Amino acid sequence: MAENKIFAGPRVRRIRNGLGLTQTAMAEALEISPSYLNLIERNQRPLTVQLLLKLATVYKVDLDELQGEAGGTAGQLREVFGDPLLSGEVPGDQELIEVAEAAPNAAAGVVKLYRAYREQAARLSDLAELLAREGHETSISGTRLPIDEVREKLERRANYHARIEDAAEAFHASLGLSPGEDLAPALKGWLRTKHGIVVRTLPIHTMPNLRRRYDRHSMRLFLSERLSPFDQLREVAMEAGLLAFGEEIAAELEGLAFSTGEAKRLGRFELARYAAHAVIMPYGAFLSAAQRARYDIDMLRSRFNVSYEQAANRLTMLQRPGAAGVPFFMLEVDNAGHRFRKAGAQGFPQAKFGGSCPKLNIHAAFAQPGQVLVDAVEMPDGTGFLTVSRTLDGPQAGFNERVRRTALLVACDIAHRDEVVYGQVVAGGTFGPVAVGTACRLCERQGCLARAEPPVTRPLGLDEMVTGLSAFDFQ
């Protein structure tokens, strides 16, 4: 049987130093030469099974201490070097393990410094938001990935792109559809006739990890059967939009002035997705239908043969000058609280509506999949909103796969309650609006049972004689 070789030189050196031994003294006790022990401590020779047993016998060393890897600290270092700030300095796993083993205290210090840096960055971000809410501009910014830049620019402007809307309406009209005619065959026919592109749906085992793939050589657009008919239609409409009015999409992209090529690529995808919605639900027809249905999302999804998410997303885009609808905004999260998408008629109003309050019905939606939850909510400053939340299921999962489920919140100012069908649910409510806040770090609402963090604007009220409802009582 082959020997199990273990490289654990730094740990052997720590044991020797802890015992106050020279290399000569330890080598003599282990019955090896000092030069061989020196090679072991520099990880140039392995610790064999015989040496492990000798160490355990002579120095009462725990074998698990020698054989185990510094996995915990190495994992924490991996988190540190995963930060975008260190994107050009990412070492390999073996190097991280070596650092954790050779200098565990120094490695722990690096981790502590990194966590302190992240904590301070979060606090600065919160303070910057507070200053911005009061009208003070700040230059505080964290390290951003390209996707962060894209999200920031799209979320801080109206979710409306005039060139794309006009071009999409003209393109939809050019298809010559009769009232009630299915759009999908018309788009596929246009792609085939005008550009020679054939659309095919492939089974999961053929394309297990992709939702779509365009083969330039065979001129075929492959779609995964994981996608619902609504999502397949959106993929086809995205391709058609890029081909039919790519110049308009490029002009809108240029106006966003992204700083990197990667950000431009991601921005182009988001604008193509926007264009797909504009093709499937043309502005004039959708606005008219939305006003007649009083913005009932389920009625609109049925009228245009789209998904709940697509109809809700389209509601946030109705901001054409002179022909605007109710200014809705939206937020999509998963059950771990990660934000996937934010959009709104005036940009998502984070300063007034942070989206991180656990009392929002978007979080309760996960306990009632598929149900529409409606609430009137009130912010600490008295601002009110009408919120509508519902879960969304992602691509079709197999028997041994976990369903990807997110929740979508669509909301508008409470002043528009009478224009929206959901307003009748909260009109004249017995209990009044739900008292919510921004993120806990920015919310100063007293006596909140759901508080998870203290506000950055108040000192903690540490009083041994009096304890409030939250572990984070503040003065």
Side-chain angles (χ1 to χ4, degrees), residues 221-295:
L221 176 63
F222 297 113
L223 304 178
S224 171
E225 67 177 0
R226 286 183 183 272
L227 301 180
S228 69
F230 310 120
D231 288 338
Q232 289 189 25
L233 174 60
R234 179 161 55 193
E235 295 294 335
V236 174
M238 284 176 64
E239 194 68 32
L242 287 168
L243 292 171
F245 45 95
E247 292 184 2
E248 287 79 0
I249 293 175
E252 291 286 348
L253 181 63
E254 188 67 24
L256 292 170
F258 292 119
S259 62
T260 66
E262 181 68 6
K264 289 179 181 178
R265 187 184 71 82
L266 294 170
R268 184 172 182 268
F269 174 83
E270 291 298 329
L271 291 178
R273 183 186 177 92
Y274 181 102
H277 289 148
V279 168
I280 299 169
M281 297 165 276
Y283 191 98
F286 188 81
L287 175 62
S288 177
Q291 291 172 334
R292 288 198 305 271
R294 299 183 64 212
Y295 301 94

Side-chain angles (χ1 to χ4, degrees), residues 16-180:
R16 180 175 61 78
N17 290 335
L19 295 171
L21 298 174
T22 63
Q23 284 187 341
T24 301
M26 176 175 268
E28 183 178 345
L30 296 177
E31 300 179 349
I32 59 176
S33 68
S35 60
Y36 187 70
L37 178 59
N38 181 268
L39 292 173
I40 288 174
E41 290 189 357
R42 289 190 286 126
N43 266 351
Q44 295 183 8
R45 291 292 185 275
L47 266 178
T48 61
V49 173
Q50 287 83 356
L51 278 175
L52 283 171
L53 295 175
K54 201 78 171 178
L55 281 165
T57 302
V58 176
Y59 298 112
K60 309 302 181 188
V61 174
D62 186 353
L63 291 179
D64 290 337
E65 180 185 348
L66 287 169
Q67 296 185 75
E69 292 183 350
T73 306
Q76 294 169 343
L77 286 174
R78 194 175 296 111
E79 176 190 352
V80 171
F81 283 94
D83 191 285
L85 183 66
L86 302 173
S87 59
E89 308 292 340
V90 181
D93 285 351
Q94 184 58 40
E95 186 175 348
L96 291 177
I97 291 172
E98 290 174 0
V99 170
E101 290 180 343
N105 293 333
V110 170
V111 172
K112 286 182 180 179
L113 281 173
Y114 175 73
R115 288 178 176 170
Y117 151 72
R118 295 300 300 173
E119 174 69 16
Q120 291 302 314
R123 288 181 175 274
L124 286 173
S125 177
D126 293 336
L127 289 171
E129 186 171 337
L130 282 173
L131 290 171
R133 184 168 62 186
E134 297 173 1
H136 302 291
E137 292 296 327
T138 66
S139 59
I140 299 172
S141 62
T143 303
R144 295 190 305 169
L145 293 169
I147 187 62
D148 297 325
E149 180 185 0
V150 173
R151 286 175 175 171
E152 179 180 307
K153 289 205 173 184
L154 291 178
E155 291 166 8
R156 293 186 180 277
R157 68 183 304 281
N159 192 24
Y160 176 76
H161 300 276
R163 296 184 186 90
I164 294 177
E165 292 289 358
D166 295 341
E169 274 193 305
F171 173 67
H172 189 279
S174 72
L175 296 175
L177 296 174
S178 303

Side-chain angles (χ1 to χ4, degrees), residues 227-419:
L227 301 180
S228 69
F230 310 120
D231 288 338
Q232 289 189 25
L233 174 60
R234 179 161 55 193
E235 295 294 335
V236 174
M238 284 176 64
E239 194 68 32
L242 287 168
L243 292 171
F245 45 95
E247 292 184 2
E248 287 79 0
I249 293 175
E252 291 286 348
L253 181 63
E254 188 67 24
L256 292 170
F258 292 119
S259 62
T260 66
E262 181 68 6
K264 289 179 181 178
R265 187 184 71 82
L266 294 170
R268 184 172 182 268
F269 174 83
E270 291 298 329
L271 291 178
R273 183 186 177 92
Y274 181 102
H277 289 148
V279 168
I280 299 169
M281 297 165 276
Y283 191 98
F286 188 81
L287 175 62
S288 177
Q291 291 172 334
R292 288 198 305 271
R294 299 183 64 212
Y295 301 94
D296 188 321
I297 299 173
D298 282 304
M299 294 296 294
L300 290 170
R301 66 183 290 200
S302 177
R303 166 69 178 80
F304 289 90
N305 195 27
V306 295
S307 69
Y308 183 95
E309 178 268 329
Q310 290 169 352
N313 199 339
R314 188 62 171 143
L315 285 181
T316 70
M317 306 173 186
L318 302 180
Q319 291 302 297
R320 175 178 284 173
V326 169
F328 285 95
F329 56 86
M330 59 169 276
L331 168 70
E332 184 180 356
V333 303
D334 67 8
N335 55 5
H338 300 121
R339 296 180 180 182
F340 285 97
R341 187 172 295 108
K342 293 182 289 185
Q346 303 300 324
F348 191 79
Q350 285 185 303
K352 295 187 295 181
F353 196 85
S356 295
C357 181
K359 293 189 288 186
L360 290 171
N361 55 17
I362 188 173
H363 303 295
F366 288 104
Q368 304 175 65
Q371 298 298 309
V372 176
L373 307 181
V374 179
D375 274 335
V377 302
E378 184 176 84
M379 304 302 293
D381 64 1
T383 307
F385 296 93
L386 178 66
T387 67
V388 183
S389 296
R390 182 189 185 277
T391 56
L392 307 173
D393 286 343
Q396 180 61 47
F399 170 72
N400 61 338
E401 296 176 307
R402 186 160 294 181
V403 174
R404 176 186 181 273
R405 179 168 288 149
T406 59
L408 186 73
L409 178 145
V410 180
C412 65
D413 194 284
I414 197 68
H416 297 284
R417 179 178 59 194
D418 294 337
E419 302 173 59

Side-chain angles (χ1 to χ4, degrees), residues 3-25:
E3 279 190 341
N4 181 25
K5 297 181 179 180
I6 300 170
F7 290 90
R11 279 169 279 176
V12 173
R13 185 187 305 114
R14 287 201 302 274
I15 292 170
R16 180 175 61 78
N17 290 335
L19 295 171
L21 298 174
T22 63
Q23 284 187 341
T24 301

